[in-house]
């Protein structure tokens, strides 16, 4: 997976990865960008946005853009927190969660789904082809296969190895910010979701959110990411929000819905995200100190912002002016565990 440290190293070495050298790390400002625009969580959002942009720049629909965009990290064999190469649960089963929401308030979701590499596309099919919002477990897999998707084994040899290592201690302790932790010995037991929000040239908003959830979670555990209102929410009159981090705390506060409602009341995207983070701190101050949760939001005008519990959160922005913008999120606490 691409991360900032790797980027600096590559740039210094004059690496030939021209695309990486174009990344711009910017200060977080609420920018009223021209539409269309797409934003998404974490550094891997840069590549995902790029894919989404192909649809947006042609005047395509935001819904198509977000589905295509998040399929990039879902397919990335180096990404162990989203899609096919995601780490398994404590029983060695890769279970995926995703949801999608369009400008009409339609939504679809799958949770704890096994053996299908692109949960976001199944979530969209749930939205478009069924009278339901959410399918889980075997039912979701069965539906995906009926819709023509390939049933495949998702546990990669690398994920299997990590799971075997984890089994030696079998300690469930999520570590913050995979991008800071990934190179540490034993620091791979992690989480991170792609949440993406796009506004198309007609001004319509859609969002998508997809994850393999917390690595080595209990079998059957579902986080915030596939839950409409928690991991993602879109209201075409107001804006959209998405979240990443320890899903239990996001669910407790119906985080993404809260952010959108706060924007409806007039808060800027960043202030709305900050308020949602503060709710988590207020309700569970002891837990809040130890975990990461980040919110990312965009309003109808295309202003965006983010806020996280801990340092280390980042998000990517792509519009006609800036294709590779990577923004470090503001945070409530310093991540004391960050690489020293
Ligand atoms: N929110 C995800 C979950 O709780 C994980 C993450 O974003 O890091 O499953």
């Amino acid at each position: 997976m691409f991360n900032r440290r790797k980027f600096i190293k590559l740039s210094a070495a004059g690496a030939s990865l021209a695309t990486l050298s174009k990344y711009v790390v910017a200060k977080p400002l609420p920018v009223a960008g021209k539409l269309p625009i797409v934003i998404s969580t974490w550094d891997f959002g840069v590549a995902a946005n790029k894919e989404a942009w192909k649809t947006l720049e042609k005047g395509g629909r935001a819904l198509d853009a977000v589905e295509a965009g998040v399929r990039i990290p879902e397919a990335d064999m180096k990404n162990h927190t989203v899609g096919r190469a995601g780490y398994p649960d404590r029983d060695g089963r890769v279970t995926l969660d995703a949801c999608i929401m369009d400008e009409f308030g339609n939504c679809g979701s799958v949770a704890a789904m096994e053996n299908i590499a692109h949960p976001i596309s199944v979530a969209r099919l749930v939205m478009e082809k069924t009278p339901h919002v959410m399918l889980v477990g075997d039912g979701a897999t069965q539906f995906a296969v009926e819709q023509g998707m390939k049933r495949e084994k998702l546990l990669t040899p690398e994920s299997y190895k990590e799971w075997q290592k984890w089994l030696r201690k079998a300690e469930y302790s999520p570590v913050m910010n995979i991008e800071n932790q990934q190179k540490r010995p034993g620091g791979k037991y992690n989480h991170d979701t792609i949440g993406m929000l796009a506004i198309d040239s007609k001004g319509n908003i859609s969002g998508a959110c997809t994850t393999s959830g917390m690595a080595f979670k209990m079998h059957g555990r579902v986080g915030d990411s596939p839950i409409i209102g928690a991991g993602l929410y879109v209201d075409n009159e107001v804006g959209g929000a998405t979240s990443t981090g320890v899903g239990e705390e996001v669910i407790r506060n119906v985080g993404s819905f809260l952010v959108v409602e706060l924007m409806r009341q007039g808060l800027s995207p960043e202030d709305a995200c900050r308020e949602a983070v503060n709710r988590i701190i207020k309700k569970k101050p002891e837990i809040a100190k130890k975990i990461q949760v980040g919110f990312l939001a965009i309003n109808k005008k295309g202003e965006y912002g983010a806020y996280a519990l801990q340092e280390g959160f980042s998000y990517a922005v792509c519009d006609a002016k800036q294709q590779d913008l990577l923004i470090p999120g503001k945070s409530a606490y310093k991540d004391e565990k960050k690489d020293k």
Side-chain angles (χ1 to χ4, degrees):
M1 186 193 306
F2 175 71
N3 66 32
R4 213 170 291 121
R5 196 189 305 112
K6 217 190 279 170
F7 162 60
I8 291 162
K9 250 168 99 182
L10 283 167
S11 307
S16 62
L17 292 173
T19 47
L20 296 186
S21 66
K22 282 193 290 185
Y23 284 23
V24 181
V25 177
K27 290 228 166 76
L29 290 173
V31 185
K34 272 214 172 129
L35 304 183
I37 181 168
V38 56
I39 62 176
S40 54
T41 53
W42 300 111
D43 296 15
F44 49 55
V46 172
N49 285 353
K50 231 175 218 160
E51 187 63 27
W53 185 252
K54 289 181 193 165
T55 300
L56 295 173
E57 74 175 341
K58 286 188 291 203
R61 189 178 170 202
L63 183 71
D64 295 324
V66 295
E67 181 191 1
V70 303
R71 282 176 62 99
I72 296 298
E74 279 186 345
D76 182 353
M77 294 306 280
K78 292 199 187 86
N79 187 326
H80 300 301
T81 60
V82 178
R84 66 159 60 242
Y87 283 155
D89 63 21
R90 68 182 191 182
D91 297 343
R93 296 163 74 161
V94 179
T95 65
L96 304 180
D97 301 333
C99 74
I100 195 159
M101 192 159 186
D102 75 7
E103 70 271 32
F104 304 111
N106 297 316
C107 45
S109 153
V110 290
M113 183 177 69
E114 293 179 75
N115 302 115
I116 305 288
H118 284 293
I120 198 63
S121 297
V122 188
R124 181 165 179 179
L125 287 167
V126 171
M127 174 173 92
E128 292 179 340
K129 304 258 172 136
T130 81
H132 308 304
V133 164
M134 191 166 193
L135 291 178
V136 305
D138 289 349
T141 306
Q142 183 187 328
F143 170 71
V145 171
E146 281 164 13
Q147 293 296 315
M149 291 194 185
K150 197 170 143 206
R151 184 193 283 271
E152 48 191 318
K153 189 174 159 241
L154 296 185
L155 188 65
T156 65
E158 200 189 343
S159 299
Y160 177 80
K161 240 169 71 193
E162 284 302 319
W163 172 55
Q164 289 296 309
K165 261 197 236 162
W166 178 82
L167 281 176
R168 282 183 221 144
K169 279 195 179 171
E171 228 172 46
Y172 177 71
S173 55
V175 186
M176 286 179 239
N177 298 333
I178 192 161
E179 306 192 344
N180 294 331
Q181 302 290 339
Q182 209 179 16
K183 283 189 181 164
R184 283 185 176 182
K188 290 186 177 176
Y189 312 142
N190 221 306
H191 56 96
D192 279 350
T193 295
I194 183 146
M196 177 179 277
L197 302 160
I199 312 184
D200 60 32
S201 47
K202 295 196 178 86
N204 287 323
I205 311 169
S206 288
C209 186
T210 176
T211 191
S212 51
M214 313 296 280
F216 316 120
K217 60 197 173 185
M218 285 176 73
H219 181 62
R221 180 266 184 189
V222 172
D224 57 324
S225 309
I227 298 180
I228 296 295
L232 176 75
Y233 196 71
V234 168
D235 184 316
N236 208 41
E237 284 180 7
V238 178
T242 188
S243 62
T244 179
V246 176
E248 282 73 5
E249 300 316 310
V250 179
I251 295 171
R252 286 195 175 102
N253 293 280
V254 201
S256 292
F257 180 73
L258 174 62
V259 171
V260 172
E261 287 308 299
L262 290 166
M263 290 195 293
R264 189 193 304 280
Q265 289 164 27
L267 264 63
S268 71
E270 184 181 304
D271 287 348
C273 292
R274 182 188 291 111
E275 178 56 27
V277 163
N278 285 341
R279 296 272 175 104
I280 294 174
I281 297 172
K282 207 170 155 200
K283 276 195 193 153
K284 304 261 176 219
E286 286 316 308
I287 293 179
K289 273 186 214 154
K290 295 183 206 136
I291 62 161
Q292 177 63 302
V293 169
F295 290 101
L296 174 65
I298 193 160
N299 67 18
K300 191 72 182 165
K301 288 186 272 183
E303 294 169 337
Y304 51 82
Y307 202 79
L309 270 171
Q310 316 290 342
E311 281 187 334
F313 177 53
S314 60
Y315 63 100
V317 177
C318 176
D319 62 17
K321 278 183 279 174
Q322 311 261 23
Q323 303 287 305
D324 302 309
L325 195 62
L326 188 60
I327 300 185
K330 289 185 186 169
S331 63
Y333 301 127
K334 273 198 188 306
D335 173 1
E336 283 152 17
K337 291 186 189 161
K338 223 169 105 177
D339 282 4
K340 300 211 165 93

